[in-house]
Each structure stands twice: as structure tokens, then as C-alpha cells.
Amino acid sequence: MRVTKGAQIVAGTALLALAVAACGGGASDTGGTATGGGSAETPVRMELGEPQELLVPSNTTESEGAETLAALFEPLVNYDENKNAVEAAAESITSDDQKVWTIKLKSGYTWHNGEPLIAQNYVDAWNYAANQENAQSAGYFFGRIDGFADLNPGEGKTVTTKTMKGLEAVDDTTLKVTLAAPFSQFKVMLGYTAFYPLPKAAFGPDGKVTQAYGEQPIGQGLFKMDKAYKKGTDQTIDMTVYDKYPGTKPKGWTKLQFKLYTDSDVAFNDLQANNLDIHDSLSPAAISTAKSTLGERYQDQPDAGVGYIGVPLKYNPELDKVDIRKAISMAIDRKTIAETVFSGTRAPADDFINPAIAGYRQGACKACTYNPAEAKKLYDAAGGPKTLELGYNADGGHKEWMEAVANNLRQNLGIEATAKPFEKFAAILDELDKKTYKGLFRMGWAIDYPSAENYLSPIFSTGAIATGSNYGGYSNKKFDDLISKGDQAATVEEGLKFYQQADDILNEELPYIPVYFYRNNSGYSTSVKNVKINLLNQIEWAEVEKV
Amino acid sequence: MGRYIIRRLLQSIPVLLGATLLIFSIVFALPGDPIAALAGEKRADPNIVAILREQYHLNDPLLLQYWHYISGVLFRGDFGVTFADVPVSQIMAGKFQVTINLAVTALIIEAVIGVGLGLWAALRRGKATDTMILASTLLLISVPTLVSGFILQYMLGVKLKQWTGVDIFPIAGISNGLRSYLLPGFVLAGVSIAYLTRLTRTSLAETLRADFIRTATAKGLPRRRVVGRHALRNALIPLITFLGADLGNLMGGAVITERIFNLPGVGLQLFDSVYLREQPMVVGIVTVLVLIYIVANLAVDVMYAVLDPRIRYE
């Protein structure tokens, strides 16, 4: 009797709750996706965080938006398994002097609205992106093109032209790009989101990309948007394979659904319950479970990012001596940090170039080997400072490993080392600029394009102090020269030789101290197979198969 | 009564203005440039930062910025745009829909279960049932939402589905319509259920001992009627107060639940917006939350008058 009563209460509650939620309405109800497996109409469901901005290629510099756009657009080049750039939407990309580049487009590509893809689409998109008036966050990618300066006269000045003189559509299928200075890696850059073209339909009467376009981009790639993505309201981004896509289409399925999650562990639960098919950012907490429950469906592969301890060379002369930096580096137990603090989601760093990219050499950084005895000797001999501060931004899960490094330094060097939290990474940079902070700082680098050059020039070249990410203020003429030689080299491979020589200088001088390489930890459900993740951390959709 | 309601609503205007100005200045005072925050860890192009700051009036003094904002809200009903150029009202509409669904689900669950259990316990005071209910409410109070949320999600959402193959409780998102809110609603209601049970039990037990109940029983009314009409109605007053205030709490306190169950609600949005220094978004959400509190309190006061004719406002 009592049991029955209890059951009634529970059932009544459930009914009432349903009734009330029904009054709410509004929320989109796609339902029915729980059946799993089988039909081509069931979408492949992929985990995604909420894109920060509307979906405009030139204003997307974060991974979630880039992942979405990569499904909608065909880049000029893709990256093959040997880490080389291979033509995708481009038929050929050639240059005699590494300065003037001729890009021939493949025929057969059309925009999702049916219009053909023409060279002018690239010219329009790139000029738009580079123009400072449009305040596009990826605008700086076009900095190497001749005429970029005209579109970026600086703060408070008006832009007098709308085009870069280095950009020209010779005919419908030929694009001529003139760079301000030779750059042998230009072709490698072209796979990045910022270099996608834009159709005529993207621009409003005022010449700006419209909000409607940002919500429902028209691309020329494998998938097209089913409907506009209303930021803030929609929890899925739905796509269907574009019929007229001339490249390889996935076998046996046509629908792709990005599901937005705020918490990666929640997505992992959904994966286990088969409500989600692909999850490519498993948290350290999920990984131990993933290994045992997913088995072969758990994947662990190098990811192109690098984590460093930054050295404020420009702001703290006490750290000027190379031996001090070497000693600090040798005192860090990278292996334990990678395995224990990061539960194996990182690998110990032994070069400034990541193993995922061509140009990496195992053990290139000799001072990256753990050697506490030698470290202590070196540090004392060089007269290193008795106290060191290690700044980190508290918003990104860096506390544990920075504490571990501080611990290493305390024990192995016999100094006072403390980890100091900052509210955001920008706060560290602010204090460095104002010279109110002289400590070491945490730093990470995720590549923009898969070239060894991208680990060197933007962080360590003299030019990057003012305009790039050289937060330490490192400057070395020989290094700059080697980079420039690499830029001017006749081929990508020849350029690589010079970049490796520049890398040697870094490994010898340690302007930053590399600590770990990122790894990509992903998992997929029982309804899909053959999930491959490329150098840009994006899924190769054409390869994915349904089970 | 009508005059009372109008007066209360008018009083809410200075409350709203004060609250928004306060929140506006707090977000303004937080360190860090909102535009730089957009760029993440890479240094934002100073050129672009300058242009965007100009575009979003970030160089103006606080009061002028506030005026820009509040005049838009008051005269045009325009809550401004986020730094991604999406109208704040568009985002708020979607997010509040989710949070209101969640909070109302939770409120109903807690009202039904809480009052039901409290009633049951009060009628069997001192017996085993009573003790058991009291013990289990203690358990509910002491387990944090974070823990109960994850456990229930894993047991009911993942394991139950793996074992039985039946998908009863969706564990993330709102794509399953109404069912999506059941489990999170229960988790959100958890602690309140316990308080409400205890409140009901005490309140009812006290009323049951009152003279008028003895009179009602003495004149031969059936027990069901005594409890239902006489005792419960009187005992309801503190419960209504609790539920009214709790609606506001549920909406504000949904941050954790929304995160665990991946519900795109107001709590999460508020968290993100504070993080990104999105002043218009933060102030917009807080304004609506304050409004909800005010209306909920007003509704509670009106309910008083209905339940107990002795309490009448003029």
C-alpha cells in the first residue's frame, strides 16, 4: 500500500514535469536520434565546444569554429600522412622565386548555392580579411602579402584602398599572389582557415560580411549547412553532404551533426551511452576510463602544440646567462610531469619543434634531459638567482604542473621557487610589459600551419617582439638570418634545413624552456570506424565509415 | 489589492536601476580588457583592439557606457550586442527558455515530493516511516549537487542504458525535448526537496496540534478532510514562502546542474560572460533575474492573501 503511494507520487511528478516543460516549447526538438547505427539518415555526431564567434573564416582563430568551417570549406591544400601539404581545391601552387606565387584552381568546385568557385572569390575574401576596418582576428595571416601595410595603416588612420596590390585574379582559375618578401612555406600556410575563399553572397551592400552569412556560411566543401546556426540558442550544428562536391565523399552516410558541450566529461558520458559518435578532446579524468571501456576506439596521437616555461630575457637580466637557463631546464623532471600530472596526455618535450611536424629531431634539446646533479652544479657556478617565481594563468588548468616544476626547482637547485597564479594569461603579459613581473612564465603554442617555421619565427624572431608572440623579448641576429634564409629557400625541404639550424640555436640558448608536447586523445562510439584526425586536429570526414 | 500590486511593481524600478548600475560597475572594475580576452592566449593585434574598443564604446567613462546601455534597454528594448555581434536579447531568449524549463521542472518535483513526503512523515510522526524519511532527507542535504548529479547521470544515463538498452534519461543537452529536463530537474531540486519535506513535516505537525483541528475532529469531520482542508491549508503558508524564494534560487543556482547535464541555460551563459567581460550580456541576464525575483516575491505575497484572509495588504 505504502509502496503504491510512493510510486504514484513519483509518476505524478514525472507527468507534471513533462506537462510544464511542454508549456515551455520553443527549444528545438530534433529527437529520434537515439536509435543509433544503421541508416544513412542518422547523423554522425561529433563533440564540439561553442564557437566563440559567428562562422566567418577570417574571424575564426579558435579551434571550435575552425572545426565547423573545415567541414564546410575545401582548403587550397590539405596535409597528407607524411606531414606534407598537398593540393586540394588548388590544381597547382608554384613559384620560381618564392615571392610571386601562382595558384591554379581545380575545376568542378561550386559554392553551396550553385555558383562556380572562381579566383576572384579568394581575392575578395583575403582583401576583406586583411583590411583593418573589418577588424578580423585572423587578419594578420595576410601580413606577408604585398600591400598588407596599405590596408593596415594603424590606429586612428583611415584605410584609403580596399585591395592589396599583391593579390590578383588573372582569370577565373588563376590566382597570382605577390609576397612582400620571399617565403618558401607559403604553400603550407594555405590550408589554414583564414585562407578560405568567400562567395559573392557573403557580402552585404556595405561590403561587409553579413550576420546571416556568419550564421549559415555558404562554403565550397564537403558539407553544407542544413539551417542557420543561432548562437546561444542552438545546441547542434547540422550539415548534409553537398551533392556537387567533386572530391571524395564519405561512404554510407550523408548527415553530420556537431553537438555543443560545455564540459568534456559530460560529452564522454554521452559517448559511452552512444548518444555521441566522436569525441576528440577527452579530459585527463576520462582517459583512464576510456582506455579500458573503449579499447581500440580510444586513440592517442601527437598533437602539434608545445608547452614551455617562458623566460623574460628582455625584462630580467638575472636570467641572461645560458647556463642558468640550462640548469633550470635540466632540473625539470619532464617525464614524471607528463605521466603523473598530465596522466599521459602530454609527452616530455625534447625539441622546439613538435614530433607531429616535419623537422622534429628526437633529443635535439640536450638540456631537456633530467639531470638534477649537473643542474645544481651549473646553476651555482653561474650564480643563478636565489628566488624564482613561476607565473601561470589560473584559468586554464596549469596550476598542477607549474607547482610540480616549482617543486623540482626547489629540490634540485636548492632555491626558493614559487608558482604564482595570474587571473588570465594577458595579465602576465601586462605585468611583463610594465616590468612589474620578472619571473618565469607559462607559455603554450598551438600552430597556425604545420611548418617547422611556425614554431620559430612567431615566437623567437626579433620582429615578433613588436608584432608577434615573442613575449620573452629574445633577439638573436644569427637566428633571424637563418629564418630569413629558410624563407627564401627554393623548396619546402631546403627551407627546413635552415629552420633546423635556427632550431639548433634555440636548443643551445634556451630562450624558452620546452617542457611538454601536447597529445590528442580521442574516442569514438561503436557506430563509426576509421576515424582519422589530421595535423590541424580536424576529422578527415571522407574517411569516416558507419558500422 | 490592485493598488498594492501596482505599487510593488513601481518599487521595482529603482531596484532594477540600482542592481544594473551595480553589476555594470562590478564587471567594469574587473581587471582585463574584454577585447584582449577574446584573443585568448595570443597577443591581440593592438590595431584591431583599438578599432573594436571604439566600436563597443569601451573607451568611454563608466557612466556614459552605462547610459548607452540603459537608454537602449529602456527606450528601445535593445539589450545591445555581444562582442561576437550577436544580439544579447536573442541569446537571452534561448537561454532563459532552458533555465525556466529546468527551474519549473525542479520546482514541481520538489513541491510534489517534498510536500508529499512531509505530509506522510507528519501523519506518522515518531514511527519508522517518519524516521526513515528524516534520515533520507539528511542524506539529500549532505550530498552536494555536483556529486549527486554525476552519480545519477552515470548510473541512470550511461549504465542503465547500457544494461537495458532503454533510453529513459537523456544525460546531456535538450535535444530530447521534455525528457531532457527530468534528471537535471531532480538533481537541481534535490536539496530543496529535503528542506521542504522537513518544513512541511514541522509545519503540519504543529498545525495538527492546534485547537481548531481538535474542534474539527471533535465535530466528526473525516480525517482526510481535517488534514486536507484545515491543517494543510494553514500549514501551506511557510511552504509557499519557501517555494517562491526558491524559484529565484533555482534559476541562479542552476550553473552546476546546467554544466553537468550540458543544458545551454542562463547560469552557464552568465559564467562565460563574466569570464569574457561581456558587460551587456551580464547586465542583461542579471536584470531579467532581478525581475524574476521581484515577480516571484510578489506572487508569494498575493498567495498569502488568498490562503489566509487575515493577511491582507492595502
Side-chain angles (χ1 to χ4, degrees), chain A residues 2 5-6 9 12-14 16-18 20-22 24-34 50 52-54 132-133 135-137 140 152-156 211 215 230-233 235-236 259-263 265-266 269-270 272-275 289 315 393 395 398 423-426 429 433 442-448 465-466 468-471, chain B residues 30-33 36-48 50-52 55 82-87 90-91 93-95 97-98 100-101 104-105 108-110 112-113 116-117 120 124 127 129 150 153-154 157-159 161-162 167 169-179 181-182 258-264 268-269 272 275-277:
Chain A
R2 277 174 199 173
K5 238 183 202 167
I9 290 174
T13 309
L16 266 166
L18 281 171
V20 163
S28 68
D29 183 359
T30 47
T33 52
E50 185 171 328
Q52 212 176 63
E53 303 277 332
L54 292 178
Q132 70 171 35
E133 276 178 2
Q136 299 295 293
S137 62
Y140 68 92
N152 291 269
E155 213 178 312
Q211 187 180 336
E215 290 173 349
K230 292 282 177 200
K231 193 174 154 68
T233 316
Q235 227 186 355
T236 60
K259 295 178 85 174
L260 308 189
Y261 291 87
T262 26
D263 188 322
D265 288 329
V266 176
N269 272 348
D270 243 0
Q272 288 178 293
N274 243 4
N275 297 326
T289 332
Y315 311 102
N393 48 315
D395 61 358
H398 297 295
E423 186 233 2
K424 277 170 182 289
F425 189 68
L429 299 183
D433 280 342
R442 180 206 80 80
M443 161 79 185
W445 185 253
I447 52 163
D448 293 328
I465 296 178
S469 300
N470 188 345
Y471 305 138
Chain B
L30 284 172
D33 184 334
L38 283 180
E41 299 210 340
K42 283 196 179 160
R43 188 182 300 233
D45 182 342
N47 211 357
I48 306 267
I51 290 164
L52 285 175
Q55 194 179 325
T82 69
F83 293 131
D85 253 337
V86 181
Q90 176 195 321
I91 294 185
K95 306 269 170 175
Q97 183 67 66
V98 171
I100 287 172
N101 286 357
V104 171
T105 311
I108 290 174
I109 292 179
E110 83 177 60
V112 174
I113 300 186
L117 284 181
W120 198 7
R124 287 177 173 61
K127 297 193 180 134
T129 321
F150 271 118
Q153 182 183 52
Y154 191 69
V158 179
K159 283 295 161 195
K161 191 182 168 189
Q162 283 176 352
D167 188 19
F169 298 107
I171 51 177
I174 50 167
S175 57
N176 289 286
L178 318 169
R179 276 191 305 140
Y181 294 99
L182 275 184
E258 282 174 1
R259 191 175 174 96
I260 298 174
F261 293 96
N262 198 40
L263 300 172
L268 274 185
Q269 183 63 43
D272 287 345
Y275 186 75
L276 286 173
R277 311 280 182 270

Side-chain angles (χ1 to χ4, degrees), chain A residues 126-171:
Chain A
W126 297 2
N127 278 331
Y128 176 80
N131 193 326
Q132 70 171 35
E133 276 178 2
N134 301 322
Q136 299 295 293
S137 62
Y140 68 92
F141 276 91
F142 302 90
R144 289 182 186 270
I145 296 175
D146 192 20
F148 180 79
D150 302 338
L151 288 179
N152 291 269
E155 213 178 312
K157 293 188 187 125
T158 37
V159 184
T160 49
T161 172
K162 289 213 174 301
T163 52
M164 291 186 278
K165 55 177 177 279
L167 214 51
E168 189 196 341
V170 179
D171 55 47

Side-chain angles (χ1 to χ4, degrees), chain A residues 54-110:
Chain A
L54 292 178
L55 303 172
V56 178
S58 53
N59 206 23
T60 299
T61 44
E62 42 83 41
S63 55
E64 310 306 306
E67 180 109 47
T68 320
L69 288 166
L72 298 170
F73 285 85
E74 182 84 332
L76 285 167
V77 300
N78 266 322
Y79 306 98
D80 66 9
E81 281 173 4
N82 300 322
K83 305 166 186 175
N84 294 322
V86 288
E87 281 81 356
E91 177 76 48
S92 68
I93 299 171
T94 51
S95 173
D96 298 330
D97 55 0
Q98 318 303 311
K99 197 172 170 203
V100 181
W101 291 80
T102 309
I103 302 169
K104 289 259 182 206
L105 300 180
K106 264 186 201 144
S107 59
Y109 280 95
T110 50

Side-chain angles (χ1 to χ4, degrees), chain A residues 319-336:
Chain A
L319 299 166
D320 232 12
K321 273 195 197 156
V322 176
D323 279 353
I324 295 177
R325 303 198 291 273
K326 274 192 178 162
I328 294 174
S329 176
M330 282 192 281
I332 300 172
D333 185 0
R334 293 172 175 76
K335 195 157 173 279
T336 308

